[in-house]
Amino acid sequence: MSAALSTQPLVLGIESSCDETGVGIVRGTTLLTNTVSSSMDEHVRFGGVIPEIASRAHLDAFVPTLQESLHEAGVTLEDIDAIAVTSGPGLAGALMVGVCAAKALAVATGKPLYAINHLVAHVGVGLLDARNDAGAAAGLGAGELPENLGALLVSGGHTEILRIRSITDDVELLGSTIDDAAGEAYDKVARILGLGYPGGPAIDKLARQGNPKSIRFPRGLMQPKYMGTVEEKGPHRYDWSFSGLKTAVARCVEQFEARGEDVPVADIAAAFQEAVVDVITSKAVLACREHGITDLLLGGGVAANSRLRELTGQRCTSAGIKLHVPPLNLCTDNGAMVAALGAQLIMAGIGPSGVSFAPDSSMPVTTVSVPA
């Protein structure tokens, strides 16, 4: 591998794990372009992502998205040094489209191909030299990761707290949801409240008009039998559960309707959201404090939630933890994050995956990339 390739590789990243078709291009830690085509509008009438529709949408969108990305970056496929693609976790059919496209490009161009973990890519994007909406530096900044780094990933499919010793080969799962992810809970509760899909933005907006203290919804897995103590940690000390919270909201609505009263939708939305962000942030900060984590990256689509960002910031500040939040367009699923992690693998001297791997819809977060 040439010195130029090992220090400033030009990497094309492909993301298709759910309903976004993403193609991004980075040079080392510099973001050149991030092009995303979403099929969300096609899923609205179903109240959630339909895997078959998502897969077909990826097929339709991939080539135009690739062409737009190359045009915006001012490069050609011949210029690209390597290709990176999300190999998992995600929807099996959606992953297959992206992986097959990446393999076809790799075979046609002779470029090395890296099969990478979608979740770890959410952390890798923090290394890009990107700017936030105000034009200030965002994320972790280009270069090296902080020594004691954690990542809180909150999305429609995942809610996890990670410890990152090495972005390329040492990622530890500290806690995760045991049922619904936070984003799933938002979508289900929004459906109960008649707010439509996607639920996250609708609830976040409506919650500002409600009273979060009007109803006390349960905080899952916060009881002593799950939490344990510092000396003897419980079985779910850093884990989350949102299924019971969703049920509690449904029962609350039913009770108002049974009494013939108007359902206080804004208050329920605010109280539900407060329950979600309260338990997410409290457990995440606890995990950081007990594992010596001093820097925390917040990523995933639910990172766009205003209350989550606010409360995470407040509790991290109180605990002496430095919070990093990439620009919102890099928090949601995108190709730039895939390219960013691919570049990190190349710069670390890790070899490509080849073309014999298969998508893994349940790829563990400890597998950063698929070996050849």
Side-chain angles (χ1 to χ4, degrees):
M1 184 177 293
S2 68
L5 176 56
S6 62
T7 57
Q8 290 292 315
L10 184 63
V11 182
L12 183 146
I14 298 170
E15 156 62 23
S16 69
S17 64
C18 191
D19 61 336
E20 286 96 3
T21 306
V23 178
I25 300 174
V26 305
R27 188 184 299 278
T29 56
T30 301
L31 175 62
L32 300 184
T33 185
N34 180 40
T35 306
V36 178
S37 173
S38 175
S39 61
M40 182 179 294
D41 291 344
E42 299 180 45
H43 305 282
V44 169
R45 63 193 177 102
F46 300 103
V49 176
I50 305 301
E52 179 65 19
I53 292 176
S55 300
R56 291 180 180 275
H58 288 309
L59 283 171
D60 293 337
F62 178 73
V63 172
T65 306
L66 172 64
Q67 292 173 333
E68 182 180 348
S69 185
L70 291 169
H71 176 74
E72 289 182 355
V75 300
T76 66
L77 283 174
E78 187 175 326
D79 299 324
I80 297 295
D81 294 317
I83 299 168
V85 63
T86 293
S87 179
L91 301 175
L95 288 169
M96 182 68 73
V97 176
V99 166
C100 288
K103 287 182 178 182
L105 286 176
V107 171
T109 61
K111 308 295 182 180
L113 176 60
Y114 287 80
I116 69 167
N117 190 300
H118 167 88
L119 297 176
V120 183
H122 274 296
V123 183
V125 76
L127 281 170
L128 291 176
D129 184 15
R131 320 300 289 182
N132 63 21
D133 295 337
L140 298 163
E144 298 182 358
L145 290 171
E147 184 175 351
N148 300 304
L149 176 66
L152 175 59
L153 306 182
V154 190
S155 70
H158 303 277
T159 305
E160 301 183 334
I161 179 73
L162 315 175
R163 177 161 60 178
I164 315 295
R165 293 189 181 90
S166 168
I167 189 67
T168 58
D169 61 11
D170 194 348
V171 176
E172 179 184 0
L173 177 65
L174 299 179
S176 65
T177 178
I178 65 171
D179 41 54
D180 289 347
E184 289 177 299
Y186 268 90
D187 289 338
K188 291 175 180 178
V189 167
R191 189 181 311 163
I192 293 171
L193 298 178
L195 300 179
Y197 176 84
I203 289 179
D204 191 18
K205 181 178 180 180
L206 185 61
R208 297 168 195 160
Q209 305 171 27
N211 178 7
K213 297 181 180 179
S214 61
I215 303 167
R216 174 71 183 184
F217 285 124
R219 272 66 168 162
L221 302 183
M222 291 294 288
Q223 298 90 338
K225 65 179 179 179
Y226 299 122
M227 296 294 292
T229 64
V230 175
E231 295 76 19
E232 188 174 345
K233 295 179 173 59
H236 296 294
R237 188 168 179 81
Y238 311 126
D239 293 332
W240 294 278
S241 171
F242 300 108
S243 180
L245 172 59
K246 170 204 65 181
T247 302
V249 172
R251 296 294 171 265
C252 178
V253 171
E254 290 173 0
Q255 289 169 5
F256 277 103
E257 292 176 340
R259 294 193 297 264
E261 301 175 5
D262 291 337
V263 177
V265 178
D267 285 346
I268 292 176
F272 160 77
Q273 176 162 277
E274 195 65 20
V276 172
V277 300
D278 180 24
V279 72
I280 286 178
T281 55
S282 62
K283 287 205 169 197
V285 170
L286 178 66
C288 289
R289 295 178 66 173
E290 294 185 352
H291 288 82
I293 291 170
T294 56
D295 288 75
L296 180 67
L297 176 78
L298 175 62
V302 184
N305 180 275
S306 62
R307 182 56 179 155
L308 177 62
R309 294 159 72 92
E310 177 185 33
L311 192 56
T312 306
Q314 291 173 356
R315 289 184 167 171
C316 281
T317 298
S318 297
I321 299 167
K322 187 175 181 181
L323 179 65
H324 307 269
V325 185
L328 292 182
N329 67 320
L330 296 181
C331 287
T332 55
D333 296 346
N334 62 84
M337 70 184 197
V338 180
L341 181 55
Q344 290 295 318
L345 292 168
I346 293 171
M347 292 186 286
I350 295 175
S353 304
V355 295
S356 62
F357 68 91
D360 183 356
S361 60
S362 58
M363 178 183 286
V365 72
T366 50
T367 302
V368 178
S369 62
V370 179

